[in-house]
């Protein structure tokens, strides 16, 4: 094998590997010798088929397989010999005019990871903003839970339904006199004023009494989930079976037991613990952003363009999705397009931070245990159907690159925790509003840092959107919607249900984890005249 370097510019490297035809032929002979005992052919006893017949019968397939295997092993030898640390999977190309009996020339193109001096982790100063959980906030949360789990009692027959009352109704929906699918229900509970049904439906039931029949006329919203009902005028023939008034919400042992808890004290303890966990998540998010800003301000080194491209594509895809949900999608798309260069710089910053955290972790022997990795794989497997989970876990076990991609966010968190332990931390009590305001202020730091690197001649955009947040970062955000084990309201029928808008993710300054390249399926062992090298 002969290696010739053809490119050495910054982090870019390119090599030409020449594999002698004699080496390929020797490997084919060895492979023939290996498989010959298993080959069966009429007229020969098992294992006694001559090698020349085995090669004649399977030669094309064997040649393709051997060339691919030889190329892969040659690339591996190149990486070891030159001490290369590829940033992404190398691009591998076999020369177009290759044919059996000739030397194989393979072009290998890649970017390497930069050499980073392990940064000094001593002397980092951070502020921890702590939000004490006040008794009044606990009681407010308890009251909100109680309001969401109200019980109702039958009202007097003469009672007219008002906001906050519950009506039990049968309804049949129709458009132009024809019933439509899903527009019918019996004994459906509806709290007037809850906004559960489409606009206008609940308002028309104000004043009804038990036993009343009423025709409700509504127009389905343009953003309704059922395509055939969007913007359609409809009528619902409604029969009021009962009218109920809400009972006083008492936060006592009986109420706690209705939620599956032992007592009201246990309910309070649970609420307090969840509120503390929520604010602790916000505190960690704010501290992590301080830490990343500190690291980013002290380090500026070249990063692989391929990694920046991959990170930018993730940011850009999310921005486009958010723009598509905007009230004026065309204007939103134009706005982000005007700031494309800024988001490119944000991607570069994230990649640099990811590499820096990785270097800090390796220099300080931060590791993920086998038990932690096993739990991580099991958690990831839960997103698949039961019949596919075992296959996913096997895939992770057999593919080091996929395993590395899975472990990257956890490894990053462990490095961040390591730096937290070494940092000088000063605590300050604040309100939740102050903590959230600090996080919002920090969100713009990443974008402003990118903006500061723009060429002077370029005009800054008038309005800066924060960078898109990746899904994997959500574990650092407070789970604002978490509640104690409250009973879920029964699902309403489709035609009368109002579609819930999906909330867009907030911005974040998460460093980019190193991506594992997509693994190409192995080449078919078919009779292709020219074996194809793996390309990524």
């Amino acid at each position: 094998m002969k290696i010739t370097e053809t490119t050495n510019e910054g982090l870019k490297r390119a090599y030409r590997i020449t594999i002698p035809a004699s080496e390929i032929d020797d490997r084919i002979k060895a492979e023939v010798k290996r498989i010959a005992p298993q080959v069966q052919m009429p007229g020969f006893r098992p294992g006694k088929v001559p090698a020349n017949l085995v090669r004649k019968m399977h030669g094309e397939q064997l040649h393709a397989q051997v060339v691919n295997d030889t190329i892969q092993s040659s690339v591996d030898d190149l990486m070891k010999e030159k001490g290369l640390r590829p940033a992404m999977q190398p691009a591998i190309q076999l020369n177009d005019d290759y044919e059996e009996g000739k030397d194989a020339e393979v072009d290998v193109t890649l970017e390497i990871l930069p050499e980073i001096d392990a940064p000094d982790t001593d002397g980092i100063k951070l502020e921890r903003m702590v939000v004490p959980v006040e008794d009044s906030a606990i009681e407010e949360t308890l009251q909100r839970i109680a309001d969401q789990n109200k019980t109702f009692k039958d009202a007097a027959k003469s009672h007219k339904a008002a906001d906050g009352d519950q009506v039990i109704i049968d309804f049949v929906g129709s458009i132009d006199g024809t019933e439509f699918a899903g527009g019918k229900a019996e004994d459906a509970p509806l709290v007037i004023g809850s906004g559960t049904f489409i606009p206008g439906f609940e308002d028309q039931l104000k004043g009804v009494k038990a036993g009343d029949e009423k025709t409700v006329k509504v127009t389905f919203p343009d953003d309704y989930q059922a395509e055939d009902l969007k913007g359609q005028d409809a009528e619902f023939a409604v029969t009021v079976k009962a009218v109920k008034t809400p009972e006083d919400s008492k936060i006592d042992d009986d109420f706690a037991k209705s939620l599956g808890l032992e007592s009201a004290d246990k309910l309070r303890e649970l609420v307090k613990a969840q509120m503390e966990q929520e604010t602790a998540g916000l505190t960690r998010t704010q501290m992590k952003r301080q830490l990343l800003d500190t690291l980013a301000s002290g380090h500026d080194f070249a990063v692989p363009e391929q990694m920046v491209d991959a990170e930018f594509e993730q940011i850009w895809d999310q921005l486009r999705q958010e723009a598509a949900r905007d009230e004026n999608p065309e204007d939103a798309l134009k706005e982000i397009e005007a700031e494309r260069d800024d988001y490119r710089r944000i991607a570069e910053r994230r990649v640099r931070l990811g590499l820096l955290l990785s270097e800090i972790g390796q220099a300080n022997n931060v590791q993920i245990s086998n038990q932690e990795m096993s739990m991580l794989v099991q958690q990831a497997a839960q997103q698949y159907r039961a019949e596919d989970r075992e296959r996913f876990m096997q895939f992770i076990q057999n593919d080091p690159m996929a395993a590395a991609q899975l472990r990257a966010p956890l490894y990053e968190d462990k490095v961040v925790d390591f730096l937290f332990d070494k940092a000088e931390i000063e605590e300050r009590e604040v309100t939740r509003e102050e903590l959230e305001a600090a996080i919002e202020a920090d969100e713009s730091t990443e974008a402003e840092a990118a903006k500061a690197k723009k060429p002077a001649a370029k005009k800054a955009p008038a309005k800066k959107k924060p960078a898109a947040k990746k899904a994997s970062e959500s574990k650092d955000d407070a789970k604002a919607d978490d509640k104690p084990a409250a009973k879920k309201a029964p699902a309403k029928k489709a035609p009368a249900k109002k579609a819930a808008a999906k909330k867009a993710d907030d911005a974040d300054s998460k460093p980019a984890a190193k991506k594992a390249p997509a693994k190409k399926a192995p080449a078919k062992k078919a009779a292709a005249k020219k074996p194809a090298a793996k390309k990524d």
Side-chain angles (χ1 to χ4, degrees):
M1 181 181 76
K2 178 184 175 183
I3 298 175
T4 305
E5 185 176 71
T6 58
T7 300
N8 188 331
E9 299 174 358
L11 300 177
K12 295 180 179 180
R13 300 288 185 274
Y15 301 88
R16 172 160 289 184
I17 302 174
T18 303
I19 306 170
S22 58
E23 180 181 338
I24 296 174
D25 189 61
D26 288 343
R27 291 194 177 210
I28 291 175
K29 290 176 181 178
E31 186 66 12
V32 169
K33 185 177 179 180
R34 186 186 68 82
I35 69 171
Q38 287 84 44
V39 175
Q40 296 185 14
M41 183 179 291
F44 295 93
R45 287 180 296 164
K48 298 299 183 180
V49 180
N52 63 326
L53 290 180
V54 173
R55 184 162 182 169
K56 183 177 180 180
M57 183 167 55
H58 299 286
E60 197 167 1
Q61 182 177 345
L62 285 173
H63 179 246
Q65 176 184 324
V66 166
V67 170
N68 276 330
D69 291 346
T70 304
I71 289 173
Q72 189 58 59
S73 63
S74 298
V75 172
D76 291 342
D77 291 342
L78 165 67
M79 299 300 161
K80 292 176 184 177
E81 181 178 324
K82 300 295 184 180
L84 301 174
R85 297 192 304 160
M88 304 281 279
Q89 189 80 0
I92 304 171
Q93 176 65 53
L94 177 65
N95 57 309
D96 292 335
D97 60 352
Y98 172 74
E99 60 184 38
E100 187 172 357
K102 289 185 176 182
D103 293 348
E105 291 186 339
V106 180
D107 290 321
V108 181
T109 307
L110 71 154
E111 284 187 290
I112 61 173
L113 293 173
E115 294 295 332
I116 307 171
D117 294 331
D120 184 5
T121 57
D122 294 326
I124 296 177
K125 296 182 179 180
L126 301 173
E127 180 183 57
R128 178 184 287 125
M129 303 177 76
V130 180
V131 179
V133 178
E134 303 288 348
D135 289 343
S136 58
I138 295 174
E139 293 305 317
E140 183 181 335
T141 302
L142 286 169
Q143 188 59 53
R144 185 167 62 250
I145 296 170
D147 291 342
Q148 292 169 350
N149 291 271
K150 283 182 178 178
T151 57
F152 294 86
K153 61 182 179 181
D154 288 331
K157 291 185 178 181
S158 60
H159 179 77
K160 296 181 179 180
D163 275 337
D165 288 346
Q166 184 187 66
V167 291
I168 307 300
I169 57 176
D170 294 346
F171 60 81
V172 178
S174 61
I175 296 176
D176 295 332
T178 303
E179 291 185 23
F180 54 87
K184 184 177 181 179
E186 294 182 357
D187 295 326
L190 171 62
V191 177
I192 295 179
S194 64
T196 306
F197 284 13
I198 59 177
F201 192 101
E202 296 168 22
D203 287 342
Q204 296 179 56
L205 294 181
K206 291 179 181 178
V208 298
K209 302 187 298 296
D212 284 355
E213 294 184 354
K214 189 174 182 66
T215 299
V216 174
K217 298 181 179 181
V218 294
T219 300
F220 282 94
D222 291 335
D223 61 351
Y224 194 69
Q225 63 266 36
E227 288 291 335
D228 59 330
L229 297 178
K230 289 182 177 180
Q232 294 279 1
D233 293 328
E235 290 187 358
F236 287 87
V238 178
T239 300
V240 181
K241 306 285 279 296
V243 176
K244 298 174 179 284
T245 55
E247 295 186 305
D248 291 338
S249 301
K250 294 181 180 179
I251 305 168
D252 53 16
D253 289 348
D254 289 338
F255 175 69
K257 289 176 182 178
S258 72
L259 299 178
L261 298 171
E262 297 176 10
S263 63
D265 288 341
K266 289 292 183 182
L267 175 59
R268 282 185 173 83
E269 289 176 11
L270 177 61
V271 168
K272 182 179 181 180
Q274 289 191 349
M275 294 178 70
E276 289 174 342
Q277 183 180 14
E278 180 183 328
T279 55
L282 289 171
T283 295
R284 177 183 168 84
T285 296
Q286 198 270 337
M287 282 183 63
K288 182 176 179 179
R289 287 176 177 162
Q290 286 182 67
L291 174 65
L292 297 181
D293 290 341
T294 300
L295 293 175
S297 64
H299 299 85
D300 189 9
F301 50 85
V303 293
E305 289 184 13
Q306 287 180 312
M307 295 182 72
V308 176
D309 289 343
E311 184 67 22
F312 174 76
E313 286 303 319
Q314 289 205 7
I315 294 173
W316 199 246
D317 285 347
Q318 175 138 2
L319 286 169
R320 289 181 64 86
Q321 291 174 19
E322 291 174 356
R325 295 193 294 265
D326 195 90
E327 292 181 0
N328 299 298
E330 291 185 5
D331 291 343
L333 284 170
K334 288 179 181 178
E335 184 177 345
I336 65 170
E337 188 65 46
E339 300 172 348
R340 175 186 284 266
D341 290 344
D342 288 346
Y343 289 116
R344 174 88 186 174
R345 292 181 178 88
I346 288 170
E348 182 179 326
R349 167 189 155 105
R350 292 185 181 184
V351 170
R352 186 175 291 110
L353 282 169
L355 294 174
L356 192 58
L357 288 175
S358 178
E359 192 68 30
I360 293 172
Q362 293 178 38
N364 293 278
N365 199 32
V366 176
Q367 297 181 353
I368 293 177
S369 67
N370 291 336
Q371 183 179 6
E372 288 173 325
M373 189 63 192
S374 177
M375 291 179 62
L376 194 63
V377 173
Q378 290 178 23
Q379 290 171 357
Q382 296 307 309
Q383 65 183 304
Y384 296 93
R385 295 177 302 180
E387 58 268 27
D388 293 331
R389 289 173 190 165
E390 188 63 34
R391 187 169 56 180
F392 167 79
M393 296 172 71
Q394 193 69 31
F395 167 71
I396 295 295
Q397 184 178 350
N398 295 333
D399 191 323
M401 295 297 284
Q405 185 176 11
L406 184 64
R407 71 191 286 274
L410 175 60
Y411 188 78
E412 177 188 298
D413 278 346
K414 295 197 74 169
V415 176
V416 168
D417 287 336
F418 165 79
L419 293 173
F420 282 167
D421 289 340
K422 289 180 64 67
E424 298 177 23
I425 298 176
E426 181 179 344
E427 288 195 354
R428 177 164 66 96
E429 281 195 6
V430 297
T431 64
R432 178 175 177 128
E433 289 73 20
E434 289 173 327
L435 176 55
E436 290 175 342
I439 292 174
E440 289 178 7
D442 286 344
E443 281 177 351
S444 64
T445 301
E446 183 180 39
E448 292 303 320
K451 191 174 178 181
K453 289 190 176 184
K454 292 174 101 178
K458 185 173 180 180
K459 185 179 179 182
K463 183 180 178 183
K464 169 61 60 188
K465 275 196 176 187
K469 183 178 71 177
K470 292 163 64 179
S472 57
E473 181 66 1
S474 61
K475 57 182 173 294
D476 280 335
D477 297 336
K479 297 178 181 178
D481 293 331
D482 282 357
K483 298 181 180 68
K487 292 180 179 177
K488 290 185 178 179
K492 299 295 187 294
K493 294 290 179 178
K497 184 130 184 193
K498 184 167 65 177
K502 187 176 181 182
K503 185 178 179 182
D505 289 337
D506 296 326
D508 192 31
S509 55
K510 176 181 168 61
K514 183 176 177 183
K515 307 285 189 306
K519 188 169 183 181
K520 188 174 181 180
K524 293 181 180 178
K525 297 181 180 178
K529 214 169 190 181
K530 173 184 167 186
K534 295 178 181 177
K535 295 181 185 177
D536 293 295

